[in-house]
Amino acid sequence: MPKTSARLLALLSLLQARRDWPGMLLAERLDVSPRTVRRDVDRLRELGYPIVAFKGPDGGYRLEAGTELPPLLFDDEQAVALAVALQSATTTGAGIEEAAARALTTVRQVMPARLRHRIDTLHVTAVEQPATRPGPQVDSSVLMALSAAVHAREVLRFDYTPASPPEADDNGVQTPPRRVQPHHLVTWGGRWYLIAWDLDREDWRTFRADRITPRTPNGPRFTPRELPGGDVAAFVTSKFQGSDGSGDWPCRGEVILDLPAAAVSRYTRDGVVEELGPDRCRLVLGSWSWPGLAATIGRFDADIEVVGPAELKDAFAHLARRYAKAATDAPATPPPIR
């Protein structure tokens, strides 16, 4: 039988791994008697772990949430994963960079020397996707409020600041707060969004979290509606791709490239690539505009055969004239310095 301290750590690790543990199963996993399990549970309770017993044919134990955070137990893989996640927190846009840095320092201080050495050699530089402007930061308290409303299924009231704030009317009355049924809190392109059913407009809406100022208290509970399409990923993708609500890009074309399919698919995020031969493939891709689609396809250094539609051929011709003009025009002579 292992020593009491080692057995307590093993018991705590098991209790953290799943919600309910039948007493007999715990005894089998620890290779001890049910009586020893009961004594060990009492010892953990004395150390501050809120362990409750549940009755029934498979009566056992459950580690509940307490009023304070008790000491946690991580295995080596979990500790490394936690360190990587904390170092990558700067790209979440959740405004938790300083808190993540403090948490990483706290975790490192209590690690054994062998594991601390592994963490110290693991330096992750989180680089955000290049953008024309930095992504907005969201107060972590706002994210917690939105997430709590989604979880509790409570009507949410908030002030929303649009891209161009409307002016007050003649009586000085500002836009009333929004009333929504919150369904999902998601991230897209480095920004946080709330997916919700707008009660006043009777339609689905997508709100940027950095423009939301929650009001308290929340409204009554509601029965969730079914999201269009039934899948949050497909719904969000359709909102950011198509402008007609179809869930597709406004412009979609098909070409044949003299490149291997493996080489093309590596740089195609949401297109369809079909292999036609060792060095030949079919590419179906979408974009906001036909010239934009033609320019995207043109980044592949290969001969292009346009299958359709005609608008895509016209876009290639338009870009060809523009590029030809750019290549043949003499550079402008700078004015003399006076």
Coordinates of all heavy atoms in Angstrom, one line a residue, residues 22 26 37 51 56 105 134 192 202 217 275 311 315 331 336:
P22 N -17.8 6.5 -7.9 CA -18.4 5.5 -7.0 C -17.3 5.0 -6.0 O -16.1 4.9 -6.4 CB -18.8 4.3 -7.9 CG -19.0 5.0 -9.3 CD -18.0 6.1 -9.3
L26 N -13.2 3.9 -6.7 CA -12.1 4.6 -6.2 C -11.2 3.6 -5.4 O -9.9 3.6 -5.5 CB -12.5 5.7 -5.2 CG -12.9 7.0 -5.9 CD1 -13.4 8.0 -4.8 CD2 -11.8 7.6 -6.6
V37 N -10.6 4.5 1.8 CA -11.1 5.7 1.0 C -11.8 6.7 1.8 O -11.6 7.9 1.7 CB -12.0 5.1 -0.2 CG1 -12.6 6.3 -1.0 CG2 -11.1 4.3 -1.2
I51 N -15.4 18.0 -0.5 CA -15.8 16.7 -1.1 C -17.1 16.3 -0.4 O -17.2 16.2 0.8 CB -14.7 15.6 -0.8 CG1 -13.4 16.1 -1.4 CG2 -15.1 14.3 -1.4 CD1 -12.2 15.2 -1.1
G56 N -26.9 6.1 -3.1 CA -27.4 5.4 -4.2 C -26.7 4.0 -4.4 O -25.8 3.7 -3.6
T105 N 3.6 33.2 -13.3 CA 4.6 33.3 -12.3 C 4.2 32.5 -11.1 O 5.1 31.8 -10.5 CB 4.8 34.8 -11.9 OG1 5.2 35.5 -13.0 CG2 5.8 34.9 -10.8
P134 N -4.7 47.6 -34.8 CA -4.7 46.6 -33.7 C -6.2 46.2 -33.3 O -7.1 47.1 -33.3 CB -4.0 47.3 -32.6 CG -4.1 48.8 -32.9 CD -4.2 48.9 -34.4
W192 N -14.0 39.6 -30.2 CA -15.0 38.8 -29.5 C -16.4 39.3 -29.9 O -16.6 40.5 -30.1 CB -14.9 39.0 -28.0 CG -13.7 38.3 -27.4 CD1 -12.4 38.8 -27.3 CD2 -13.7 37.0 -26.7 NE1 -11.6 37.9 -26.7 CE2 -12.4 36.8 -26.3 CE3 -14.7 36.1 -26.5 CZ2 -12.0 35.6 -25.7 CZ3 -14.3 34.9 -25.8 CH2 -13.0 34.7 -25.4
E202 N -36.5 41.5 -33.5 CA -37.0 40.2 -33.8 C -36.2 39.5 -34.9 O -36.7 39.0 -35.9 CB -38.5 40.2 -34.2 CG -39.4 40.7 -33.1 CD -40.9 40.6 -33.5 OE1 -41.2 40.4 -34.7 OE2 -41.8 40.7 -32.6
P217 N -30.0 44.9 -13.4 CA -29.8 43.4 -13.4 C -30.2 42.8 -14.8 O -30.8 43.6 -15.6 CB -30.8 42.9 -12.3 CG -31.9 43.9 -12.4 CD -31.2 45.2 -12.7
E275 N -7.7 17.3 -56.9 CA -6.5 16.9 -57.7 C -6.9 16.4 -59.0 O -7.8 15.5 -59.2 CB -5.8 15.8 -56.9 CG -4.5 15.4 -57.6 CD -3.7 14.3 -56.8 OE1 -4.3 13.9 -55.7 OE2 -2.6 14.0 -57.2
E311 N -17.7 36.6 -65.1 CA -17.2 37.7 -64.4 C -15.8 37.6 -63.9 O -15.1 38.5 -63.8 CB -18.2 37.9 -63.1 CG -19.6 38.4 -63.5 CD -20.5 37.3 -63.8 OE1 -20.0 36.1 -64.0 OE2 -21.7 37.6 -64.0
A315 N -12.6 39.9 -64.7 CA -11.8 40.5 -63.7 C -10.3 40.2 -64.0 O -9.4 41.1 -63.7 CB -12.1 39.9 -62.3
P331 N 8.3 55.9 -64.7 CA 8.1 56.5 -63.4 C 8.0 58.0 -63.5 O 8.7 58.7 -64.3 CB 9.4 56.1 -62.6 CG 10.4 55.8 -63.6 CD 9.6 55.3 -64.8
P336 N 11.7 69.3 -58.9 CA 13.0 69.7 -58.4 C 12.8 70.3 -57.0 O 11.8 70.9 -56.6 CB 13.4 70.8 -59.4 CG 12.1 71.3 -60.0 CD 11.2 70.1 -60.0

